[in-house]
Amino acid sequence: MKKILLISTGGTIASEQSKNGLVPAVDGASMIRLIPKLEGICEIEYRELLSLDSSNIQPHHWTEIADAVVEGYENYDGFVISHGTDTMAYTASALCWMLEGIRKPVAVTGAQLPIEDPMTDGKRNLFNAFKLASGSRAGVYLVFGGSVIDGSCAKKLHTQQFEAFVSVNTPCAALITRDGFQWAAPEKKLPAFNPRTATDERVFVYKLVPGTSEQVLDFAVQAGYRAIVIEGFGAGGVPNRESSLLPALERALKAGVIVVCITQCIYDGTHLDIYDTGVLAQKLGALSADKMTLEAVVTKLMWALGNTVTNEEAKELFLKTN
C-alpha cells in the first residue's frame, strides 16, 4: 500500500463548538477513525502542524506546510493537507509555486461542516483526497465536493454549499465519480522538482470602486510594499480621466514596484489590450494577470519576491513560471 502523510492545519473540518463559535480541536488521527472506508486503501501517518481557522493562516504558514511536504518527500508516496475553506485557495495556489515540479500527489481538502457533524461533507472530501494521494497523478490539487481542481485555479464561491469551489478559466482537473477520477486531460510533462518555499508578504491589493483615490497607491509605495495588485473594472482597466490612477501608477513603477492589473470579474480573465483604460496602464509597465485568479497572482508575487533578491528578478520569476 502507498504511504500517505496527513498534514493537519485545522479548519472547519477539525472544529468543535465553543462558547465563541466553532474552533479547531480535532486531530488528524481522530478524523481518520471516523472514516472506516479508508482502511486498506493506504497506510496513513499524521503530522499535526497547525490548529487554526484558515482566516488566521498567514503566508509564513504556507511555508511551514510546504516545508513539511519537502521534509517528508522521500518517505511518503503522497500528501493530504486538511485545511479550512476560507483561505484554502490561497494555500493551494501558494503550494503550486513552492513545490514546482513535485513528482507526487498533494491533495488539499477540508469541509463546510465539522467532521463530527452528522451532515458533514468532511468524510467524503477526506476519503477522496486520500484516494487521489494514493494514485499516480503528481501535482498540487484542491479536492472538494465532486471536483479535483488544479491548485492554482481554485476559488471559493459559496460560504455554505458543499460544492464550494470552482475552477476558474480552466476546466476541473478531474471529476469524481463512482468509478474514480475522470481526468480532463493527460498528465502534463513536469519540470524538475525545485522546492522554493520562502515568501515576502509585501504585496498590496487595491480593489477599485468608482471615486477611488490615486493616493492609496502612493501610500502603498510609501509603506514599503514591493508589489501592488490592482483589481480593476471589466477587463482589468483603471480610470484614466477624472480620478485617473495613471500618474500614481507611473510613480509606483518608477519606484521599482511591480504592478499587476486583474479584473474583478471571476471568469474570462484580464485583457489590458482592448480598452484605453488597460492599454495605457500596460504601456506604463503594468502587467496583466491574464487568466490567473487573484489568489494565484497574490501568492505567486509573494513567492517570487521571497525567492529573489531584487524586484526585477522577482518580476522575471513571476512572468517565467507557469
Side-chain angles (χ1 to χ4, degrees), residues 1 9 40 51 80 90 123 137 154 157 198 214-215 243 267 277 288 297 300 306 318-319:
M1 289 191 296
T9 69
S51 185
V80 172
Y90 284 96
K123 295 178 182 179
R137 190 77 171 217
L157 288 192
E214 66 171 334
Q215 290 182 321
S243 298
Y267 296 105
T277 52
S288 172
V297 170
K300 193 174 185 182
F318 177 83
L319 293 171

Side-chain angles (χ1 to χ4, degrees), residues 237-300:
V238 300
N240 59 17
R241 299 210 175 181
E242 187 176 349
S243 298
S244 174
L245 286 189
L246 294 183
L249 190 153
E250 185 173 18
R251 288 192 292 272
L253 289 164
K254 286 184 176 179
V257 175
I258 303 169
V259 178
V260 180
C261 291
I262 188 169
T263 175
Q264 294 180 21
C265 301
I266 302 298
Y267 296 105
D268 298 333
T270 304
H271 303 276
L272 298 184
D273 57 345
I274 298 177
Y275 303 99
D276 69 344
T277 52
V279 170
L280 293 175
Q282 199 166 33
K283 283 183 175 180
L284 290 175
L287 305 178
S288 172
D290 294 324
K291 293 191 174 182
M292 296 174 69
T293 64
L294 176 67
E295 293 88 342
V297 170
V298 168
T299 56
K300 193 174 185 182

Side-chain angles (χ1 to χ4, degrees), residues 22-216:
L22 290 172
V23 294
V26 182
D27 63 22
S30 298
M31 290 193 290
I32 296 307
R33 282 196 292 271
L34 296 172
I35 314 173
K37 288 196 304 179
L38 280 173
E39 187 174 348
I41 288 180
C42 58
E43 179 184 348
I44 302 173
E45 293 189 3
Y46 311 92
R47 181 166 179 181
E48 305 301 324
L49 188 66
L50 304 167
S51 185
L52 294 172
D53 184 300
S54 72
S55 293
N56 291 317
I57 293 285
Q58 300 296 317
H60 69 86
H61 293 124
W62 306 334
T63 296
E64 291 181 41
I65 297 168
D67 285 343
V69 173
V70 174
E71 289 167 15
Y73 189 72
E74 298 300 329
N75 299 321
Y76 299 97
D77 300 297
F79 302 86
V80 172
I81 299 163
S82 60
H83 195 286
T85 60
D86 290 348
T87 61
M88 185 184 292
Y90 284 96
T91 297
S93 184
L95 293 176
C96 287
W97 319 127
M98 292 177 169
L99 302 174
E100 180 186 10
I102 190 167
R103 292 293 199 275
K104 297 180 180 182
V106 178
V108 185
T109 195
Q112 294 282 61
L113 291 175
I115 197 162
E116 294 178 337
D117 189 298
M119 301 299 291
T120 187
D121 55 329
K123 295 178 182 179
R124 177 180 70 155
N125 290 340
L126 264 180
F127 178 80
N128 288 331
F130 275 100
K131 288 283 286 185
L132 186 141
S134 301
S136 59
R137 190 77 171 217
V140 177
Y141 299 100
L142 190 150
V143 181
F144 210 94
S147 302
V148 177
I149 301 172
D150 184 292
S152 65
C153 300
K155 181 177 283 291
K156 186 179 180 183
L157 288 192
H158 301 282
T159 60
Q160 294 186 315
Q161 289 186 27
F162 286 169
E163 302 290 336
F165 291 87
V166 295
S167 182
V168 176
N169 294 329
T170 190
C172 285
L175 297 178
I176 304 171
T177 70
R178 291 182 178 180
D179 298 324
F181 300 102
Q182 293 185 348
W183 293 97
E187 189 168 6
K188 296 178 182 178
K189 184 177 179 180
L190 298 172
F193 184 35
N194 182 27
R196 289 175 286 185
T197 66
T199 63
D200 187 324
E201 301 177 15
R202 288 175 289 177
V203 176
F204 181 77
V205 178
Y206 185 25
K207 184 170 184 174
L208 302 187
V209 297
T212 195
S213 170
E214 66 171 334
Q215 290 182 321
V216 175

